[in-house]
Amino acid sequence: MFDRNDLYIGGQWIAPVDGGSVDVIEAATEKVLGRSALAGPADIDAAVAAARDALGGPWVAMSRAERADVLERFAAAMAARAKETAELVSRENGMPITLAKPTNGYGPSAMLKYYAGLIRAAQDEEVRPGALGGRTVVRSEPVGVVAAITPWNYPQPLAAMKIAPALAAGCTVVLKPAPETALDAFVFADAAQEAGIPAGVLNVVPADREAGAHLVAHPGVDKVAFTGSTAAGRAIGEACGRLLRPVTLELGGKSAAIVAEDADLTVFADHLLEVSLVNNGQTCHASTRILAPRSRYAEVVEAVTETVRALRVGDPLDKATAIGPLVSAAQRDRVLGHIAAGRADGYQITTGGGTPADLPQGWFVEPTVFAGVDNSASISQEEIFGPVLTITEYTDADDAVAIANDSKYGLGGTIWTSDEECGLELARRIHTGTVGVNHYALDLTAPFGGVKASGLGRELGPEGLEPYLAPKSVYFATR
């Protein structure tokens, strides 16, 4: 059992005051994996107070180089725990271990080191000559207390995408992870203690939605950074709008994979798992709408169907597994509901469509392909967040772009072509935050985020540091 009975607040392990606890269930076995402390409103108050007190302590007073040193120690402490953390996350949410190791295992360490390097090379102040004489000193100061609210699908890297730049900027953080993956969140607290991060700079308080809403609206919070569903993001955005509180929202997606006329289908099929079904389909940027040219439609359907049919479904800790279980019974039932809706609408299932008969335990769903799907169908428009793909026919490049853009979302996307310049030209026309050409993988050095219902703001890259810094102008008259 992986029991974590206390919250991490103000550098100490503290039992919940008005919260409680929650069982974390192993996705592949449906058995209790461990029990986690759960914060209530009073515990959230204590965490925010600790974070505010820490703003007056040594963390903000450190130079950027000194903070970078601490972040590098934090990165090393996270890396030392990478293998165990990856296995824990795989058991919590069903992510195949071959994906969990680089993302949940070593991803946080890489982000901490990256932002340590960024701040080490930067300056707190810039002197600018005034347009009408005089000069201005432009300072970059930490925005303050950050509420970081993270989901269960990539719990470690999505938390690190907030923690690393926030701490690098000199902010303090209250991390509220999802209850489904509460256990692995405490690894950040363990590593922070080992690295010597001052008390109150990082606080870890798993909580339910009600306590999370209390955190978002808390008067002691200066910025909110959220990753999760679009519905939850809208509610958080509305609350922050009323409070005039800066917010970063990384939300849902329903991305398209445009298979061009000249695409090498072997390359596309070889990458299908990692771009369209990654993490059992529980990935916001996954290219789950496959757009096939009319001239090669049958070829694409066959290639996708055969590739998906061959994927091994099973124990996420087995290195041979391509598709593991979904995170919960509720998520499994939600995905099966979408499959039933697609079937009821008359669309053809070429493979999958149910639960594996040989896996009676665990929240498994067969990887499923729908062919001949109109882009207006609910299975093409709604984020399913499971191993379900749709294939839609297009006539020419303009039609493909129009279909790709015919979505309320705009987070990811891919172009598959033998002509990279053609791929770049198509990518320029897709209304989305990120696009891959014959490939898709987040890059630490480049901004990630969406447009439309996929969110506000960007994470990663130098752009991911900016939301945690508040510019201040100090004006001087001409001498």
Side-chain angles (χ1 to χ4, degrees):
M1 295 284 286
F2 294 87
D3 292 347
R4 303 300 294 249
N5 298 315
D6 296 320
L7 306 168
Y8 186 66
I9 298 174
Q12 298 182 0
W13 295 98
I14 299 173
V17 173
D18 63 346
S21 61
V22 62
D23 285 337
V24 177
I25 309 300
E26 185 166 4
T29 66
E30 302 181 46
K31 296 180 180 179
V32 176
L33 178 62
R35 196 162 183 82
S36 170
L38 208 62
D43 303 305
I44 296 294
D45 291 344
V48 174
R52 290 220 70 82
D53 287 345
L55 287 176
W59 187 246
V60 179
M62 286 181 185
S63 69
R64 289 191 173 204
E66 289 171 331
R67 279 204 305 277
D69 289 341
V70 178
L71 288 181
E72 287 176 351
R73 293 200 300 269
F74 192 9
M78 292 295 292
R81 295 164 168 79
K83 182 177 182 294
E84 292 77 12
T85 302
E87 291 177 356
L88 176 57
V89 174
S90 286
R91 297 181 70 180
E92 286 175 313
N93 72 3
M95 178 183 289
I97 191 65
T98 51
L99 175 65
K101 283 184 178 179
T103 58
N104 291 291
Y106 292 98
S109 175
M111 288 182 221
L112 288 163
K113 288 191 287 187
Y114 173 73
Y115 282 104
L118 276 189
I119 60 166
R120 193 183 296 281
Q123 300 295 321
D124 288 323
E125 297 183 347
E126 174 193 353
V127 180
R128 300 181 187 176
L132 300 175
R135 73 190 192 281
T136 301
V137 175
V138 180
R139 288 183 48 77
S140 294
E141 299 182 347
V143 74
V145 174
V146 174
I149 302 174
T150 55
W152 44 258
N153 59 327
Y154 290 83
Q156 287 282 308
L158 291 175
M161 285 164 71
K162 298 158 183 58
I163 293 170
L167 295 189
C171 298
T172 59
V173 176
V174 177
L175 172 65
K176 190 215 82 68
E180 292 89 344
T181 51
L183 297 173
D184 72 86
F186 291 111
V187 173
F188 285 106
D190 295 336
Q193 278 193 318
E194 181 180 317
I197 291 180
V201 170
L202 177 63
N203 306 273
V204 181
V205 285
D208 60 18
R209 290 185 179 182
E210 182 180 351
H214 183 71
L215 174 61
V216 167
H218 199 289
V221 168
D222 298 298
K223 174 183 167 55
V224 176
F226 171 78
T227 298
S229 72
T230 294
R234 290 187 192 280
I236 290 171
E238 289 174 3
C240 290
R242 289 193 303 271
L243 295 166
L244 299 179
R245 178 168 296 166
V247 60
T248 301
L249 301 172
E250 197 271 282
L251 309 177
K254 190 69 176 180
S255 303
I258 298 178
V259 181
E261 293 267 3
D262 66 349
D264 183 332
L265 291 187
T266 300
V267 172
F268 176 55
D270 287 346
H271 288 80
L272 188 64
L273 174 64
E274 67 193 62
V275 301
S276 297
L277 291 168
V278 61
N279 193 21
N280 317 323
Q282 298 175 138
T283 300
C284 51
H285 58 69
S287 294
T288 54
R289 290 187 295 145
I290 298 170
L291 311 187
R294 179 170 296 171
S295 63
R296 303 187 67 187
Y297 176 75
E299 286 181 78
V300 173
V301 171
E302 181 180 9
V304 171
T305 300
E306 293 307 312
T307 300
V308 172
R309 183 178 290 136
L311 295 175
R312 178 169 175 175
V313 182
D315 180 359
L317 296 178
D318 184 340
K319 292 180 181 179
T321 292
I323 302 290
L326 301 186
V327 70
S328 65
Q331 184 65 13
R332 175 202 57 197
D333 293 345
R334 179 178 178 275
V335 171
L336 290 174
H338 281 289
I339 293 173
R343 184 183 279 114
D345 286 341
Y347 294 114
Q348 175 193 4
I349 294 177
T350 64
T351 188
T355 56
D358 60 338
L359 293 169
Q361 295 297 118
W363 298 307
F364 293 93
V365 173
E366 294 172 327
T368 300
V369 177
F370 281 95
V373 182
D374 189 279
N375 195 58
S376 64
S378 65
I379 54 173
S380 286
Q381 291 293 319
E382 299 301 320
E383 184 179 38
I384 296 175
F385 226 60
V388 180
L389 305 180
T390 63
I391 306 177
T392 299
E393 181 180 284
Y394 71 84
T395 56
D396 56 22
D398 290 342
D399 189 34
V401 169
I403 294 172
N405 288 337
D406 182 18
S407 172
K408 62 187 174 184
Y409 297 108
L411 184 58
T414 51
I415 313 290
W416 301 89
T417 175
S418 297
D419 183 347
E420 287 195 351
E421 286 304 313
C422 174
L424 179 58
E425 182 57 33
L426 282 174
R428 290 175 176 137
R429 299 174 63 190
I430 306 302
H431 191 202
T432 188
T434 61
V435 187
V437 178
N438 298 326
H439 157 85
Y440 188 97
L442 272 62
D443 181 351
L444 275 179
T445 70
F448 172 75
V451 298
K452 300 189 283 187
S454 289
L456 299 170
R458 295 293 182 269
E459 296 183 305
L460 299 180
E463 294 84 357
L465 180 62
E466 292 170 5
Y468 300 97
L469 292 169
K472 176 190 286 183
S473 295
V474 183
Y475 307 119
F476 291 86
T478 303
R479 291 183 226 182

